[in-house]
Amino acid sequence: MKKFIILCSLLTAVLGTAQVAIGKTSVTNSSVSLEFGNEDRGLVLPWVTSAASVTGAVDGTFIYDISDKKVKYRNNGSWVDLSVDATGVVNTTLQDTKTEQSGAKVAIGSNAATDTTPGILVLTDANKAFVLPKVASPHLNIINPAAGMMAYDTVKRQIAVFNGTVWSFWKP
């Protein structure tokens, strides 16, 4: 019961806050909704069986498609491939025995309590940004990356995505 109360308190705090810092004590400025610390870690995107199976996705949605082992994002109503390389590998045994919780959602921002946008993690503010984990040369410094991982490479100044085999880099 004690763990349940702590979990509910934490969830309430996250839902009621317009800004969240993970791995650090605060965000860098008022224009940030979600920001990560500077450890050599990336953000693992949600794994889906296929992009076609995602219903209700809005532009700006990011996924890792395990059918073709690619990181994708939704842009102008279509899925855009960010992985480039088609040799991705993913070990789905981590999630194969799990039951999907279709209503699971965490919303961060001033509209969090009323936001109806579908997604697992939804940033609801219209005037704040999401900052990817910043890693110097993630392809060298993230020792054991997971399929579907993203980070911002502070050396190349590019977005890095890992498809389970290789990193791809995108200049923002």
Side-chain angles (χ1 to χ4, degrees):
M1 183 65 169
K2 186 177 180 180
K3 288 181 183 178
F4 177 75
I5 292 170
I6 292 171
L7 179 63
C8 286
S9 298
L10 179 63
L11 189 56
T12 301
V14 168
L15 291 175
T17 303
Q19 295 180 291
V20 174
I22 298 175
K24 59 192 301 184
T25 57
S26 64
V27 295
T28 55
N29 64 54
S30 61
S31 295
V32 174
S33 288
L34 176 62
E35 185 172 1
F36 296 89
N38 293 324
E39 299 85 19
D40 289 338
R41 298 178 184 164
L43 170 73
V44 179
L45 299 171
W47 294 355
V48 299
T49 53
S50 71
S53 70
V54 179
T55 58
V58 298
D59 287 350
T61 299
F62 284 82
I63 60 166
Y64 179 74
D65 185 333
I66 62 174
S67 66
D68 62 7
K69 293 154 186 79
K70 292 186 173 196
V71 172
K72 298 177 179 179
Y73 81 99
R74 189 84 170 178
N75 184 34
N76 202 23
S78 299
W79 290 105
V80 177
D81 172 18
L82 290 179
S83 295
V84 181
D85 186 277
T87 63
V89 175
V90 62
N91 179 354
T92 62
T93 57
L94 294 173
Q95 71 178 25
D96 288 342
T97 60
K98 308 298 180 204
T99 303
E100 181 176 351
Q101 302 296 318
S102 59
K105 174 181 176 177
V106 172
I108 297 172
S110 58
N111 305 320
T114 58
D115 186 84
T116 59
T117 306
I120 296 170
L121 172 62
V122 179
L123 306 179
T124 67
D125 287 314
N127 61 349
K128 290 183 174 49
F130 159 67
V131 179
L132 281 170
K134 297 175 184 176
V135 179
S137 304
H139 61 295
L140 301 174
N141 291 314
I142 298 179
I143 304 305
N144 190 17
M149 183 173 280
M150 289 182 78
Y152 179 75
D153 185 335
T154 59
V155 174
K156 290 185 177 184
R157 295 193 168 126
Q158 296 177 332
I159 296 171
V161 297
F162 186 69
N163 74 352
T165 303
V166 298
W167 288 93
S168 296
F169 297 89
W170 292 88
K171 190 85 168 165

